[in-house]
Amino acid sequence: MEITFLLNGETMRVTAQPTTTLLDWLRNGRGLCGTKEGCNEGDCGACTVMVTDDSGAKALNACILFLPQLHGKAVRTVEGIAAPDGTLHPVQQAMIDHHGSQCGFCTPGFIAAMATAHLAGRTDHDDVLAGNLCRCTGYAPIIRAAKAAEAQPSPDWMQDTPPAVETVPYAPETLDALAAFYAANPDAVIVAGATDVGLWVTKQLRDLPKPLFLHRCTDLQQVEVTDDALHFGATVTMTAVLDVLRDHHPSYAELVRRYGSDQVRNAATIGGNIANGSPIGDNPPALIALGAQLHLRRGDALREMPIEAFFLDYGKQNRQPGELVTGVTLPRHAPDLRCYKISKRFDQDISAVCGCFNISVVEGVVASARIAFGGMSGIPARATTVEQALIGQPWTQATVDVAAGSFSDDFTPLSDMRASAAYRLEVAQNLLHRYFAQSQGQAANVLEVSA
Ligand SMILES: Cc1cc2nc3c(=O)[nH]c(=O)nc-3n(C[C@H](O)[C@H](O)[C@H](O)COP(=O)(O)OP(=O)(O)OC[C@H]3O[C@@H](n4cnc5c(N)ncnc54)[C@H](O)[C@@H]3O)c2cc1C
Ligand code: FES
Ligand code: FES
């Protein structure tokens, strides 16, 4: 495949296999070994680079970023963060001044993440660096360095302009072209953010004989906010979803803030998180609790369905060969929605259980209830028996106690490395109690409770 992009200010025209990762190409193809390989699966941030496209600069993990995804973008690696004359970037100088590096293995990834955030004027350093692991320095000096650099302007050389490029067959630019290609080539493998597909290659050593990249299709990147609905095109990244949700669904936004890391959210798309059918994806439970509608397209044929109807069985979705997920529409207002993510680590971890509750109470009686869980069965699913035990009942502790007993009628969870079946069932019940406690004005979030 022919790929054109900017690398540290220099135009690259590369012919490469579709599954060549940026990390491998930098280290083995260009001898740029500053960008490190730690986990090779998006978890450690050692391979962080800055990538600029029309929507701005973002930190991405080079280990799960295929070269064709860079067509028309600009990449800046740690080698391009100091000025060409060697003048250090403010975050580099601050890391020296504040002793932010010991063995140094993680440091290029931290520098790339920090310099990208510095360019955007971000000061939420804990969130920015949640995807960068350091095993020896400890985070306090690194955060001190990030804070110290805040006052300095971002150097001019950090401003990259993505190059103008030709249309390429592997990445259609309109939805019409994309849908026509996929309908005619249903054996193609769609690559959106590659936060799943990347691992098929780096961990399962799979080939992608016929990849179809979505990142050039601007029709799928649209966000629409109307009086009563939000619409996300399928390739809206989780970072962009988070930006919109903060104003409309703060609890769902808090769930997404804990989705992977900044680097993962900058790549992962909402459509990919739905289309992969994972039972532990974070968006589906929230979208089911909201009553969202999913949009699909095969050639010129459009379909729409309540999102829960998409998940048929483990690994099986209501999607025909050659049919794309094109987007999702959700209500703009749902003041009763609360989303809870239970995972072993607070940041950068997949949910063991994710419970989302949308229960409305009118004059003390439950008028409607939509409760959805991830991690409780082979698909994200509603707790319909619990819902029925609540609807029409007074919204009291006694009602909640009875309804919580019905989770075992709705779900028979599995035991796996994330949690045991018994733990999952107990957590589901406890989350209903937590929702009730919050509805009574009690602080129930670990970030809110104090001794
Ligand atoms: C380090 C790390 C941390 C993670 N943390 C979380 C987390 O906290 N919560 C969570 O939910 N997930 C998490 N994930 C999983 C991952 O981010 C999601 O599953 C992701 O949303 C997939 O989206 P993508 O755009 O990267 O999809 P891709 O990897 O590009 O594709 C995923 C699958 O969906 C298909 N596909 C993609 N888009 C479409 C479309 N529009 N139509 C039809 N098929 C399509 C692809 O062919 C593929 O089968 C994490 C992943 C990593 C690597
Ligand atoms: S090497 Fe760990 S995130 Fe890329
Ligand atoms: S300085 Fe050693 S891993 Fe961070």
Side-chain angles (χ1 to χ4, degrees):
M1 287 179 172
E2 306 290 323
I3 305 141
T4 302
F5 61 100
L6 223 57
L7 175 65
N8 296 330
E10 195 186 331
T11 302
M12 299 284 127
R13 290 198 174 79
V14 177
T15 305
Q17 293 297 320
T19 52
T20 306
T21 64
L22 174 62
L23 181 63
D24 280 349
W25 181 81
L26 287 170
R27 293 179 61 84
N28 303 329
R30 297 288 299 178
L32 290 176
C33 295
T35 306
K36 296 289 182 274
E37 178 178 328
C39 63
N40 214 17
E41 61 181 46
D43 259 322
C44 75
C47 64
T48 305
V49 295
M50 181 173 101
V51 176
T52 303
D53 61 17
D54 294 339
S55 65
K58 55 199 73 155
L60 291 173
N61 289 320
C63 66
I64 50 171
L65 186 58
F66 298 127
L67 278 190
Q69 292 178 272
L70 295 171
H71 187 62
K73 301 186 184 179
V75 179
R76 196 156 281 273
T77 65
V78 70
E79 289 87 354
I81 287 180
D85 68 1
T87 305
L88 294 184
H89 185 288
V91 301
Q92 292 175 311
Q93 189 58 53
M95 282 285 268
I96 295 169
D97 296 344
H98 292 269
H99 308 286
S101 177
Q102 286 188 20
C103 82
F105 185 83
C106 68
T107 310
F110 271 94
I111 293 291
M114 290 161 82
T116 309
H118 183 262
L119 177 64
R122 289 179 66 175
T123 55
D124 54 337
H125 305 302
D126 286 356
D127 282 346
V128 165
L129 298 177
N132 289 81
L133 300 190
C134 175
R135 65 179 180 179
C136 47
T137 304
Y139 287 79
I142 298 172
I143 299 290
R144 276 198 286 276
K147 283 190 177 145
E150 280 172 14
Q152 307 284 329
S154 187
D156 294 344
W157 66 83
M158 292 296 292
Q159 298 285 350
D160 282 324
T161 307
V165 291
E166 307 279 307
T167 302
V168 284
Y170 58 80
E173 296 190 359
T174 66
L175 181 52
D176 287 345
L178 182 64
F181 182 91
Y182 193 37
N185 299 272
D187 55 335
V189 175
I190 290 181
V191 184
T195 58
D196 285 332
V197 177
L199 274 63
W200 301 353
V201 171
T202 63
K203 295 289 144 174
Q204 299 170 15
L205 309 181
R206 281 168 61 177
D207 277 337
L208 299 183
K210 199 191 271 190
L212 177 58
F213 291 90
L214 301 192
H215 66 280
R216 303 277 302 162
C217 180
T218 46
D219 294 335
L220 289 180
Q221 295 164 6
Q222 303 307 315
V223 175
E224 285 166 42
V225 180
T226 63
D227 285 348
D228 53 10
L230 306 178
H231 176 81
F232 295 113
T235 60
V236 175
T237 64
M238 291 315 304
T239 297
V241 168
L242 175 57
D243 285 346
V244 175
L245 290 179
R246 279 198 175 104
D247 290 339
H248 304 287
H249 299 300
S251 178
Y252 183 5
E254 183 58 17
L255 175 71
V256 175
R257 187 177 74 82
R258 291 179 51 209
Y259 179 118
S261 59
D262 205 39
Q263 291 90 326
V264 170
R265 290 189 296 273
N266 286 337
T269 64
I270 191 164
N273 197 233
I274 297 166
N276 72 5
S278 166
I280 46 174
D282 283 333
N283 287 290
L287 294 169
I288 294 172
L290 281 165
Q293 286 287 114
L294 189 68
H295 308 276
L296 298 116
R297 175 167 172 179
R298 180 168 182 265
D300 291 333
L302 306 180
R303 282 205 300 156
E304 183 174 312
M305 66 183 74
I307 188 163
E308 60 261 45
F310 182 69
F311 304 104
L312 299 178
D313 204 345
Y314 181 73
K316 190 164 187 283
Q317 294 85 45
N318 186 351
R319 186 163 75 86
Q320 296 161 16
E323 189 172 41
L324 285 162
V325 170
T326 56
V328 63
T329 305
L330 48 140
R332 180 172 162 186
H333 307 285
D336 302 313
L337 179 74
R338 299 284 179 278
C339 303
Y340 306 121
K341 172 168 176 161
I342 306 299
S343 52
K344 287 190 175 174
R345 292 189 309 257
F346 187 82
D347 285 312
Q348 171 76 315
D349 204 0
I350 307 270
S351 296
V353 176
C354 176
C356 298
F357 298 78
N358 191 7
I359 300 172
S360 72
V361 177
V362 178
E363 294 178 359
V365 175
V366 177
S368 67
R370 292 184 69 93
I371 301 174
F373 272 81
M376 293 293 287
S377 67
I379 53 173
R382 279 175 82 169
T384 47
T385 317
V386 178
E387 291 173 0
Q388 290 312 314
L390 291 170
I391 294 169
Q393 300 300 316
W395 182 234
T396 59
Q397 184 66 58
T399 299
V400 167
D401 288 345
V402 171
S406 297
F407 275 110
S408 54
D409 296 327
D410 283 321
F411 299 120
T412 311
L414 292 176
S415 293
D416 64 13
M417 62 182 176
R418 292 200 172 81
S420 67
Y423 174 84
R424 287 187 153 112
L425 256 188
E426 192 169 340
V427 163
Q429 295 176 1
N430 288 348
L431 291 181
L432 178 60
H433 286 295
R434 177 169 163 183
Y435 182 87
F436 179 73
Q438 273 187 311
S439 76
Q440 305 302 300
Q442 291 176 36
N445 183 327
V446 286
L447 300 177
E448 295 163 358
V449 177
S450 56

